[in-house]
Structure formats: structure tokens, C-alpha cells
Amino acid sequence: MDQTQLNANWEQILTKLEDSLSQIVCETWLKPLIPLSLTTTTLELGTPTGFSKEWIEKHYIPFIVDASYEVTKARLAIDITSLNTELNNNQSEIPLPQTLSRPAASLQEQKDTANISYQVPFQTTMLDDQNQPILQPEIPSPIAPGDSFSLNPKYVFETFVTGNSNRFAHAAALAVAESPAKVYNPFFMYGGVGLGKTHLMHAIGHKIIQNHPEMRVLYISSEKFTNELINSIRDGKPEAFRQKYRNIDVLLVDDIQFLSKKEHTQEEFFHTFNTLHDANKQIIISSDRHPREIQTLEDRLRSRFEWGLITDIQAPDLETRIAILRKKALIESLNVPNDVMVYIASRIDNNIRELEGALTRVVAYASLNNQLVTNELAAEALKDVYPTDKTKQITLELIQEIVASYFKIKVDELLVKKRTRNLAFPRQIAMYLCRELTDSSLPRIGEMFGGRDHTTVIHAHDKICRERNEDIKLNNIIKELIQRIESM
Ligand SMILES: Nc1ncnc2c1ncn2[C@@H]1O[C@H](COP(=O)(O)OP(=O)(O)OP(=O)(O)O)[C@@H](O)[C@H]1O
């Protein structure tokens, strides 16, 4: 395959990757990859640094496998090659554009000896006259009991952080996982992009398999469902399709809003739904909106979805976003100061995928530039991808988070009744800043600090005002805090 064709294929794969990963991940990790070769079994990609090779291998291989499958219809092994080796040790980075035109053989010589290949079972692929893979349909194969191949091992209840925005959905998901087909059937979750619906669905799947290894669990996107159906009809194998979908115990269908408008697809899904529901099998569905707002959905399907429980997931509040970042940093052993997590969480507020992507970008930026992870560095790393929103309002919640983080205490400790100086002092500063930097009323501020009376807020405000004028050190602390809050 010549380089032009290879680049064109890689471009198509990148487009698919953009559907499943955040913009920030694609820009930071995937777009810099250089396609080196594509055979019927292997896609070889070059990375500019050893660090990015490791990172990609750890996080994105399954996504690249899926995206390249959509383009080539072959389950490829993905070979990541670090191009930054001994041969180039006089350069810290290889200039990306030139490497595109290097002959594959010389690149081969530069292979990192620690290369890992991810071998995923693939279908035998035929080649056409130009040695190109011929697109082959996937033949639906029955699901084996206890098989979790369709589930992402990282999406489990243990890694899911709960907060006000998702508490109900989480509790319901747990109940479904504990008693499949007994409590809420179907279980329908809806909410905006990147808020954890897929994560919860997979978590249900894992838990059910853990408790009932005899059960057949299948997670599928509605798009894949449609494609498999179309392929099975085209190949005269509709029975194989039905066998697969109607003989499972738990069916998880993601992004139902994309279920094709085509009558036949909805009809087939309707029958699948009825067969499973009648046989007392669990059905779990997700969507970006409430069933009644999915224009393309037939009424009979909509009303079926209403038989069970419909629950939404909202965008997480600041506290939950910080907790999500902390958990991610812990799981991935990332060393990120608390201040920086507060900073990132306050910059990205309505998509957890992007929130995670931003953390990854900041850590990568620090590592590639050999710098410490600080707020300034985070601001630099995120400035092009997330320009600061000057119109963004300063909230009481944000002030509490920043003050708590500055004094190395928990937000909850700002709210409790304790009067010890190490808590009362930051609390008074936080109240002062809430009064100075927001339009919130005194009773509202009091309420946000554990239901205190408005006179307590007045007292705190007056006290800090007075002390600020007399104490340079305190004055500097307040200035520093104001600067941090305003730079969010
Ligand atoms: N509460 C949470 N705790 C920990 N991680 C979370 C949480 N919510 C979402 N995430 C993470 O955010 C990312 C995006 O979540 P997910 O893919 O489940 O979103 P989604 O709602 O299904 O989005 P889409 O509508 O794009 O399909 C995942 O990496 C997921 O693990």
C-alpha cells in the first residue's frame, strides 16, 4: 500500500476516533501518530516519543482497534512504534511532517524493542486486486454465558464517582445490577454527552456477570445493532442475527437516539425488545434525551420504554468534578496537586470525557516539557482547547473549593459548626470573598455555609475587612485567593 493510500485510510480511522473520543484526546495523542504500514492483520503507527507510545498503549488501543475495524472491516493488531530512539538521540523530537515520507524499512529499523502488539481476534480478510482488504460483514455470533468481551474493564461501579447529579441514576443502576429483570425493566438512562451513561451501563453488565456467570450479557451501540441487522439481511442470515439478540439475558443498548429511522430496524428492535421482555430478561437503554424527545422513535417503542424506570444524569457540580479528577489521578498514579484539579474542574463543567481529557493533557504537557504540574502550566496547556470564558460567573461553590484547597482542608470543614481557629479563619475568609466577589444575598451565603445566620456573614465580612487593613500577610493571602478565583 502506498503512503498516500495509507494516509487516506488513517485519516478515515481518525474521523471514526473523533466520534468516540474527545477532541482533546484526539489532538493530543492520536493526530500526532504517523501511519507506517497497514496489512490485513496489522496497523503500524509511529509516535514521536516513548512517553506517548506508552500512554497510547495503556489507554487508546481498543478505540483504535474499533475505529480501524469500521474502516477496514478487519480486526487489526495495533503496533505502536516509538520513533524517538537511539538513532535520533541528537534530536529530542522527530519533526512530524518529514517522517511521513521516510521509507518504511528505515522506520522498521528504528523500532522500539519494547514494542507491544495488541492481538484482537479478527476475521480472515480477503484482498482485492490492489492488495486492499475487501470489506467483510461481521457475522453475528452467539454470546457465551459470562462473557464480558463487549464491556470496558475500566467502567465498573468502583471507579464511578457519585454526586447530586448522578446519585439517583447510580442507585437505580446498582439495583438493576443486583436484581436483573426484577426491579426496573427496561431501565432507561438519559443525559448529555460524556456524563457517564456508558460507564454505568458497563458497570451494570460487569456486576451481573460477577453475580451470575451463567448469564449472557451483551452491550451494543444502536448504530452497531443497525449495521449488524443490515448485514445479516444482505447476507441472507437474519436467523443468525435473531439467534444472537433474542438469546441473551441482559441487553444493553447505548445511544438509542441513533437507532436508524428505517422502519425495518425499529421493527426488528421492537421484536427483540418484546421477546426479551416477555422472557423476563433485562433491557438497559441509554440516550442523550428523554424518549418522548426522540423524534425518530416509533410510538410503540417509546411507550415500551416507559414501562420501566426512566432516569436522567445531569452535569456534575464542581465538587463531583474534582472528586472524579482525584479518582482518575489515583487510578492512573498521576501526581497532580489539588489546586490544579480545582483549576481544571472549574474550567470544564459539562462533559466528563473532556474533563478527563483535560487532566491527561495537562499531565502530558508537563511531562513532555519536563515541568512541574502547576496552575500556570495547566492554564497554558488548556488555553487553545478551552479558551477562558470571561463571562463565566464566580460561584459560591467555586470560592469554597479554592479557599478549602488553599488552606488544605475539606470543603465540608468550612460548613461545620466547629469554631477552632484553623477552620473558623478560612471560613471567615471564604464568607468575605463570597460577599466581595458575588452578588449573592447575605442569607444565601449563610445558607451555603452550613445554614448559618446572615449576621454571621456580616460579622465575618467586617472582621476580615478590618484585619486586612492591618495585616499585610493576610492582605496578600486575600489577593492571591482573588487572583486564583478570577483566573478560573
Ligand atoms: N461519575 C463518574 N465517575 C467517574 N468517571 C466518570 C463518571 N461519569 C463519567 N465518567 C467518565 O467520563 C467518560 C465519559 O463517560 P461515558 O462514556 O460513560 O459518557 P456518556 O454519557 O455515555 O457519553 P455519550 O453520550 O458520548 O455516549 C468515561 O471515561 C467515564 O468513565
Side-chain angles (χ1 to χ4, degrees):
M1 181 179 293
D2 66 19
Q3 189 72 45
T4 320
Q5 178 62 45
L6 180 57
N7 290 345
N9 280 351
W10 174 237
E11 281 302 318
Q12 283 182 339
I13 295 171
L14 273 177
T15 310
K16 299 279 176 206
L17 283 165
E18 278 166 352
D19 292 341
S20 53
L21 291 165
S22 69
Q23 184 202 357
I24 209 162
V25 166
C26 292
E27 293 289 337
T28 312
W29 300 109
L30 305 175
K31 290 207 176 149
L33 288 173
I34 298 152
L36 302 179
S37 67
L38 172 60
T39 66
T40 53
T41 57
T42 308
L43 169 62
E44 190 185 8
L45 299 163
T47 71
T49 66
F51 176 79
S52 52
K53 166 180 154 58
E54 264 179 44
W55 192 272
I56 292 163
E57 284 174 347
K58 200 161 156 216
H59 298 89
Y60 304 120
I61 293 293
F63 293 94
I64 305 177
V65 170
D66 276 1
S68 50
Y69 177 77
E70 287 186 46
V71 173
T72 64
K73 292 291 173 254
R75 287 266 172 215
L76 300 171
I78 309 297
D79 217 348
I80 305 286
T81 298
S82 166
L83 302 175
N84 187 19
T85 63
E86 306 296 279
L87 293 177
N88 300 296
N89 61 4
N90 50 348
Q91 293 170 263
S92 61
E93 300 271 310
I94 292 181
L96 300 188
Q98 285 92 314
T99 51
L100 277 173
S101 55
R102 286 179 197 211
S106 77
L107 290 170
Q108 188 67 27
E109 290 162 13
Q110 300 176 25
K111 265 190 158 192
D112 191 327
T113 45
N115 252 355
I116 302 169
S117 264
Y118 286 77
Q119 193 73 52
V120 180
F122 59 89
Q123 274 176 262
T124 323
T125 308
M126 314 272 285
L127 298 183
D128 68 10
D129 300 344
Q130 272 92 43
N131 226 18
Q132 304 289 324
I134 296 172
L135 299 191
Q136 288 219 353
E138 192 176 7
I139 297 164
S141 45
I143 308 300
D147 194 341
S148 62
F149 81 96
S150 63
L151 305 176
N152 182 333
K154 286 201 279 182
Y155 293 172
V156 289
F157 281 113
E158 290 73 16
T159 55
F160 191 85
V161 175
T162 52
N164 291 338
S165 56
N166 59 24
R167 207 180 306 285
F168 187 69
H170 172 264
L174 205 52
V176 170
E178 296 287 359
S179 316
K182 297 215 167 64
V183 276
Y184 311 120
N185 199 13
F187 175 48
F188 191 107
M189 266 184 290
Y190 71 95
V193 174
L195 295 185
K197 303 180 294 292
T198 306
H199 189 137
L200 272 184
M201 292 181 101
H202 285 233
I204 298 174
H206 283 300
K207 186 140 210 97
I208 293 180
I209 290 177
Q210 198 184 326
N211 292 345
H212 303 274
E214 75 288 0
M215 284 196 174
R216 295 178 158 86
V217 174
L218 177 65
Y219 163 88
I220 184 122
S221 70
S222 69
E223 238 177 332
K224 263 197 181 151
F225 179 90
T226 305
N227 288 345
E228 280 198 17
L229 174 66
I230 293 169
N231 288 343
S232 72
I233 295 169
R234 188 189 58 198
D235 301 336
K237 296 199 171 79
E239 252 333 289
F241 178 88
R242 284 183 191 139
Q243 279 293 325
K244 174 176 174 179
Y245 284 96
R246 297 188 192 180
N247 284 305
I248 45 189
D249 299 292
V250 181
L251 176 64
L252 305 122
V253 185
D254 209 353
D255 289 325
I256 197 85
Q257 75 273 10
F258 294 132
L259 192 67
S260 164
K261 252 191 267 180
K262 288 200 183 81
E263 229 173 73
H264 197 85
T265 313
Q266 295 216 4
E267 164 115 20
E268 191 60 44
F269 186 73
F270 180 72
H271 290 304
T272 305
F273 183 102
N274 286 344
T275 310
L276 292 176
H277 200 271
D278 289 350
N280 206 23
K281 308 293 185 190
Q282 178 72 49
I283 300 158
I284 298 151
I285 296 163
S286 90
S287 163
D288 66 352
R289 62 203 91 155
H290 193 281
R292 68 171 166 265
E293 279 155 21
I294 310 176
Q295 308 284 330
T296 52
L297 204 61
E298 286 177 15
D299 281 344
R300 56 183 183 163
L301 263 178
R302 190 169 298 134
S303 72
R304 291 277 183 293
F305 295 161
E306 284 169 2
W307 282 355
L309 178 72
I310 301 181
T311 174
D312 66 335
I313 298 194
Q314 303 281 341
D317 54 20
L318 182 65
E319 197 187 343
T320 313
R321 298 201 296 280
I322 297 170
I324 290 173
L325 289 180
R326 283 206 190 107
K327 185 141 221 168
K328 185 169 165 78
L330 190 74
I331 292 172
E332 310 211 336
S333 311
L334 306 175
N335 194 2
V336 181
N338 196 45
D339 281 1
V340 178
M341 304 223 214
V342 176
Y343 178 78
I344 298 173
S346 68
R347 286 283 297 271
I348 293 147
D349 53 13
N350 58 6
N351 182 332
I352 298 170
R353 190 176 296 118
E354 296 205 336
L355 183 69
E356 293 185 332
L359 178 70
T360 305
R361 186 176 171 95
V362 168
V363 172
Y365 195 90
S367 165
L368 297 174
N369 291 298
N370 218 359
Q371 288 179 8
L372 288 175
V373 180
T374 60
N375 274 359
E376 293 68 37
L377 175 128
E380 184 61 27
L382 300 180
K383 76 171 189 289
D384 295 332
V385 199
Y386 296 104
T388 351
D389 180 358
K390 296 281 178 220
T391 60
K392 212 167 172 178
Q393 278 208 336
I394 295 173
T395 60
L396 303 180
E397 206 190 11
L398 176 68
I399 295 174
Q400 291 179 334
E401 288 289 352
I402 290 181
V403 173
S405 167
Y406 184 91
F407 287 101
K408 303 200 172 15
I409 56 175
K410 295 198 181 106
V411 171
D412 287 351
E413 291 177 305
L414 285 177
L415 318 184
V416 293
K417 298 277 178 221
K418 276 194 198 146
R419 293 197 185 183
T420 45
R421 180 163 165 82
N422 69 328
L423 297 183
F425 184 55
R427 186 184 302 134
Q428 287 169 340
I429 292 182
M431 286 183 183
Y432 167 83
L433 291 170
C434 288
R435 181 89 176 109
E436 289 288 316
L437 302 179
T438 74
D439 295 330
S440 302
S441 65
L442 291 167
R444 171 82 189 121
I445 299 174
E447 189 188 310
M448 281 293 286
F449 282 82
R452 286 179 159 80
D453 192 75
H454 74 281
T455 53
T456 311
V457 184
I458 297 176
H459 169 74
H461 183 260
D462 290 352
K463 179 168 177 281
I464 300 296
C465 247
R466 218 175 31 249
E467 291 182 5
R468 219 190 140 173
N469 286 329
E470 295 157 4
D471 181 347
I472 300 176
K473 211 167 136 219
L474 173 63
N475 194 33
N476 287 340
I477 293 177
I478 303 270
K479 278 197 202 153
E480 158 90 25
L481 284 167
I482 293 179
Q483 201 242 331
R484 284 194 191 185
I485 293 163
E486 289 185 336
S487 69
M488 295 290 174

